[in-house]
Amino acid sequence: SLPEVELPDTKGNQIALSGLKNKLIILDFTVLSAPESKQHPEELEKVYDKFRKQDVQIYQVCLDKSKWLWENAVEEYGIKWVCVWDENSLQSSVARTWNVKEIPANYILNQNKEIVGKNLYGDRLEDRLTDLLKP
């Protein structure tokens, strides 16, 4: 089984990755407040809007240094998917457990919680999701 992730969202609710059932999941690691990350939430929003009605969920782990910076970025980008914060920032044990070597990073998990894609972005991410959703 895959390592669990359970972190707080902007309302302080603990959200567990394992709580997302029967969905394809994009497990995303990022630093929203980093200037070089500006395009990343916009790309994820495009994917979210295109695939959310097809049982695709995004679980985003933010490694921002400050809760305040993270909360402001979530509001600024209008993030609608699951977005949680690890207060340990880039020293996150969650990111280390998932073997995250650079930011942003992502994994695609199928309904059986198996890794079926890694570090795919833009058209490559959309193409992989489309393939995985074929009957």
Side-chain angles (χ1 to χ4, degrees), residues 17-25 55 111 113:
L17 178 63
S18 62
L20 305 177
K21 302 202 184 298
N22 301 319
K23 297 183 181 294
L24 277 176
I25 300 166
D55 288 328
Q111 292 86 341
K113 301 291 190 275

Side-chain angles (χ1 to χ4, degrees), residues 33-44:
S33 60
E36 60 272 12
S37 296
K38 192 159 183 67
Q39 187 178 349
H40 186 64
E42 294 167 1
E43 287 180 9
L44 277 181

